[in-house]
Amino acid sequence: MIFDVEVKITLKDGMLNPEASTIERSLALLGYSVNNTKTSDTIKFSMDEEDREKVRSEVEDMCERLLCNPVIHNYKITVIPQETSCGCSK
């Protein structure tokens, strides 16, 4: 079965976020007042596995080993089975 996977990676609270700071300063120069800006990265891919829990387990391992730094990042994993029927009649 094929699953669509989305991993959203954010900095943990208290970590410096220069990208968000730059966005806030730039928006202020344009006349907008914003606070507490946060940025995130989203990684999307598909996996062919037997079940959702196997996919989740493998993606958690990917996150811990490569996709993010667990010391400074939080991550959220979403796993959705792809539709396998084409909706056409034979």
Side-chain angles (χ1 to χ4, degrees):
M1 178 175 244
I2 298 176
F3 294 88
D4 289 327
V5 178
E6 180 178 284
V7 180
K8 185 174 180 179
I9 302 169
T10 58
L11 284 170
K12 290 184 175 183
D13 289 339
M15 301 307 307
L16 293 177
N17 189 340
E19 183 179 28
S21 298
T22 300
I23 290 168
E24 283 186 8
R25 284 193 307 274
S26 298
L27 287 173
L29 290 172
L30 294 171
Y32 300 103
S33 177
V34 297
N35 296 308
N36 301 319
T37 303
K38 296 184 181 200
T39 60
S40 66
D41 292 317
T42 302
I43 302 168
K44 295 181 180 184
F45 53 92
S46 297
M47 291 182 70
D48 190 359
E49 277 298 342
E50 296 172 14
D51 61 60
R52 184 183 298 218
E53 289 310 311
K54 176 76 171 162
V55 171
R56 180 170 293 284
S57 175
E58 288 185 4
V59 174
E60 284 178 5
D61 189 49
M62 291 177 197
C63 288
E64 297 289 325
R65 297 178 67 196
L66 177 70
L67 299 179
C68 67
N69 179 345
V71 174
I72 63 170
H73 293 120
N74 291 319
Y75 57 88
K76 179 183 175 192
I77 299 168
T78 304
V79 178
I80 301 170
Q82 280 188 359
E83 183 61 46
T84 55
S85 65
C86 68
C88 54
S89 58
K90 292 185 178 184

